[in-house]
Amino acid sequence: MIRAILRSISFLFISLGQTAIVPLPSSTGPCDVTLHASELVDMSRTDPYDPRGGQRSIMVTTFTPVNCGSVHSTSYIPNATARYEDESFQSSGIPLGTFESLHIQTQTQQQPPHFRPHGDYPVVLFSPAVSTSRLMYTLLLQEIASNGFAVVSVDHPYDADIVEYPNGRTVLGVLANITTETEFVSALNVRVKDMLFLLDQMHDEKVIRNLFPLSQGSSHLLSLDRVTILGHSLGGATAAQTMLVDNRFVGGINLDGSLWGPVVEKGLSSPFLLFGHTNHTQASESSWAIFWSHLRGWKLELELAQSEHYTFSDFPVLVDALSVSDEVRQFIQAARIGTIGGLRAKDVITSYTIATLHIS
Ligand SMILES: *[C@@H]1O[C@H](CO)[C@@H](O)[C@H](O)[C@H]1NC(C)=O
Ligand SMILES: *[C@@H]1O[C@H](CO)[C@@H](O)[C@H](O)[C@H]1NC(C)=O
Ligand SMILES: *[C@@H]1O[C@H](CO)[C@@H](O)[C@H](O)[C@H]1NC(C)=O
């Protein structure tokens, strides 16, 4: 979605050398965080979008809090995804190599064995916006994990713009231009099944050992009676609808997503946060007004000043890190990320998200 907007203008990013490494801000919470990407194949489901009728296979990244160890640098996104995003954004003036040059400070899996996580971390499952990679939320989710939550982000294949599997295979999105209610509800239903599959998998100890390599030295890494669901845009709608069909979730958060499906009329009894960009409120969004009137538990609606739809992603921090020209910055701010600023946006969004997770 952001790509279509960015393509429609011409401007120049300040050129970055192909080999320059752009450091991204680290998380600020009390824990360090390890990241681990895995593929999960649902043997019980055929992928409804796969022309060859293969099994539904999602990619997930786990963010595990750890309290000590040395900090390493790792690439923000893997190679095929970086190349794809570079080519997609190139017509907007972003030089080739930009995404490959983005690095975050994080811990790697090569920890000395005595560095162990504390465990009993509440779990947060994350679902991204339509046509947007889960990797574009890495900094936000790392910040949440650094406050003591085990976070798992999900790519919904054929819905995300690109999904890159561990063997290098890629699946491109086909939903970038959906507009009708039927299309959104159909995408929503596939996403809900992905989230339920993931939650089921998290009760399988063998899967947990693969998703969270650090769990091998800590038998109680996760607190599976405290699982919340968080999402941006259609991912926020996914959070609400998934909670309706499965009462194992103790709370949910919708970052700026229009709501779809039966949950709008049926509501929820667990804690729920609606967090909108400027002027995206119950007054402007009827699905929010109807849903709000059917929320029976703790609820809060927030409106983020000086923000736009993609403020609720890593884009504001990435744009700041890339030191773009004023002209480019102003256009992207107006169209997508607002003027709030990357670090301020990350701080406000994660602070309210973490506070809500503590209530759930
Ligand atoms: C990704 O690209 C870098 C730089 O070209 C290379 O050093 C690295 O081996 C590649 N990684 C994989 C997994 O192919
Ligand atoms: C969405 O529409 C644009 C413009 O018509 C087109 O270039 C692009 O390929 C479409 N994307 C998908 C995934 O259908
Ligand atoms: C929000 O809505 C008000 C009232 O309709 C309008 O004056 C204002 O310009 C809007 N702000 C933004 C950022 O769109």
Side-chain angles (χ1 to χ4, degrees), residues 42-58:
D42 186 347
M43 299 309 288
S44 72
R45 238 180 348 142
T46 299
D47 193 317
Y49 301 111
D50 181 355
R52 290 185 308 273
Q55 307 304 134
R56 181 74 173 166
S57 168
I58 61 174

Side-chain angles (χ1 to χ4, degrees), residues 69-309:
S70 56
V71 175
H72 298 264
S73 184
T74 190
S75 62
Y76 181 73
I77 48 181
N79 289 354
T81 303
R83 273 193 300 277
Y84 177 86
E85 301 292 359
D86 273 343
E87 277 164 27
S88 302
F89 283 96
Q90 200 187 5
S91 56
S92 318
I94 298 182
L96 273 180
T98 294
F99 277 92
E100 283 157 286
S101 72
L102 296 174
H103 279 62
I104 48 174
Q105 291 284 304
T106 185
Q107 289 192 294
T108 67
Q109 298 304 324
Q110 293 102 41
Q111 293 301 310
H114 57 278
F115 291 128
R116 287 297 171 206
H118 281 174
D120 278 330
Y121 298 123
V123 176
V124 183
L125 306 189
F126 176 79
S127 175
V130 77
S131 195
T132 308
S133 166
R134 77 190 191 287
L135 303 166
M136 295 297 171
Y137 302 85
T138 299
L139 301 175
L140 282 180
L141 300 179
Q142 188 184 10
E143 181 69 26
I144 293 167
S146 80
N147 283 274
F149 296 89
V151 180
V152 190
S153 64
V154 178
D155 269 343
H156 306 286
Y158 296 95
D159 174 327
D161 56 348
I162 177 170
V163 182
E164 180 174 353
Y165 292 93
N167 65 2
R169 181 172 72 96
T170 55
V171 166
L172 299 185
V174 295
L175 302 184
N177 301 321
I178 62 172
T179 51
T180 67
E181 173 165 359
T182 309
E183 289 170 322
F184 278 111
V185 170
S186 154
L188 179 77
N189 289 336
V190 174
R191 283 162 162 259
V192 168
K193 286 183 187 154
D194 289 344
M195 301 314 280
L196 295 179
F197 164 64
L198 174 59
L199 182 57
D200 288 343
Q201 291 294 297
M202 296 198 53
H203 288 270
D204 180 327
E205 280 177 24
K206 194 160 150 257
V207 174
I208 289 297
R209 280 197 295 278
N210 287 327
L211 295 187
F212 295 89
L214 287 174
S215 68
Q216 299 184 20
S218 165
S219 53
H220 298 289
L221 182 75
L222 308 178
S223 182
L224 286 170
D225 54 358
R226 288 186 65 199
V227 183
T228 43
I229 182 162
L230 163 70
H232 174 228
S233 198
L234 190 58
T238 304
Q241 179 63 22
T242 305
M243 285 172 70
L244 178 72
V245 300
D246 194 317
N247 61 15
R248 285 177 292 175
F249 294 93
V250 298
I253 298 173
N254 170 14
L255 301 175
D256 213 30
S258 300
L259 294 164
W260 304 95
V263 73
V264 176
E265 295 283 349
K266 295 203 164 141
L268 296 168
S269 50
S270 302
F272 204 89
L273 171 66
L274 287 171
F275 203 163
H277 76 266
T278 308
N279 282 5
H280 188 197
T281 64
Q282 288 181 56
S284 62
E285 166 77 59
S286 64
S287 72
W288 282 29
I290 299 165
F291 177 66
W292 181 263
S293 70
H294 294 114
L295 283 177
R296 300 175 295 279
W298 179 92
K299 59 183 176 180
L300 181 66
E301 183 191 15
L302 296 170
E303 179 186 2
L304 185 56
Q306 298 174 283
S307 71
E308 292 290 340
H309 189 54

